[in-house]
Amino acid sequence: MSWEIMRSETGPCDCGAGTMIHVMEMDDWNPTRSSTEIHCPACEEKRSRELKADRAREKRRDELLRRAKQLATDRYLENWLARFAGMSKRAAWERYTGGSGYPALGTFYQHVKHSGSLSKYMEWCFPNELEKSLRILGVEDKEIEALLKEHSRLWRPTSKSL
Ligand SMILES: [Zn+2]
């Protein structure tokens, strides 16, 4: 399998002092890939700074989410599990989804089965569907909300995808 260049376009770089070459390639199976070469020290450097900033931002986002999950687990998991304790799977599903939406009842049963028990599955759901879980619990926790808000505010990367 080899990649063949289908198209290559050369244009000025962002600052105008050098060039950027945009290459589109195709292999025998037809998928394409594209890449951009920057031939300008200033733009190259800017690009690498942006990538670095993106990575730092991703790390910060992971950290915010991890803290939100940790706080919520420490504060509310016990209460959460108590809400579903002793319930039938169907009743738990109704409480969790409000009777519609994701997951569908059959999917919910499967997830419970794969998790090993209803409480194991609900324990998994709690941090992984954190906002939904807190809504169901009726909890308003300013500290956790602030972490989640900052987490979604930071989602947009600084660098343009080339
Ligand atoms: Zn440039």
Side-chain angles (χ1 to χ4, degrees):
M1 197 162 82
S2 59
W3 290 92
E4 251 178 76
I5 294 178
M6 292 162 65
R7 210 170 71 217
S8 157
E9 280 168 12
T10 305
C13 64
D14 287 346
C15 76
T19 55
M20 278 203 300
I21 305 174
H22 189 68
V23 180
M24 275 267 269
E25 290 171 292
M26 190 169 84
D27 77 359
D28 309 337
W29 302 86
N30 276 340
T32 58
R33 65 178 181 185
S34 65
S35 57
T36 302
E37 288 168 36
I38 301 175
H39 296 273
C40 166
C43 288
E44 179 94 62
E45 155 125 27
K46 184 163 157 258
R47 171 81 181 144
S48 105
R49 261 204 320 273
E50 284 173 349
L51 286 173
K52 225 167 135 188
D54 278 355
R55 277 197 295 272
R57 178 189 305 253
E58 264 319 300
K59 217 174 138 201
R60 171 95 182 114
R61 292 190 79 225
D62 288 349
E63 177 61 18
L64 287 164
L65 191 59
R66 202 188 60 73
R67 269 171 59 204
K69 286 180 175 184
Q70 188 61 53
L71 278 182
T73 300
D74 290 349
R75 292 174 183 171
Y76 308 112
L77 179 63
E78 208 173 324
N79 185 0
W80 172 256
L81 292 176
R83 298 279 180 117
F84 297 94
M87 268 189 167
S88 72
K89 280 183 283 183
R90 180 166 186 116
W93 172 78
E94 267 166 23
R95 173 160 290 173
Y96 184 59
T97 62
S100 63
Y102 185 83
L105 186 58
T107 310
F108 186 86
Y109 285 166
Q110 274 176 11
H111 288 173
V112 170
K113 199 173 157 199
H114 288 148
S115 306
S117 71
L118 178 62
S119 80
K120 283 224 174 68
Y121 178 51
M122 296 323 297
E123 192 172 340
W124 180 88
C125 288
F126 182 71
N128 288 295
E129 296 286 345
L130 190 56
E131 282 169 302
K132 178 179 175 176
S133 304
L134 293 175
R135 214 164 45 239
I136 293 168
L137 271 180
V139 156
E140 278 182 40
D141 188 309
K142 292 276 172 273
E143 204 178 342
I144 294 171
E145 276 168 27
L147 291 169
L148 292 175
K149 206 169 149 193
E150 182 68 0
H151 174 258
S152 48
R153 194 182 67 80
L154 287 177
W155 82 268
R156 186 186 279 279
T158 19
S159 63
K160 285 174 284 179
S161 56
L162 290 170

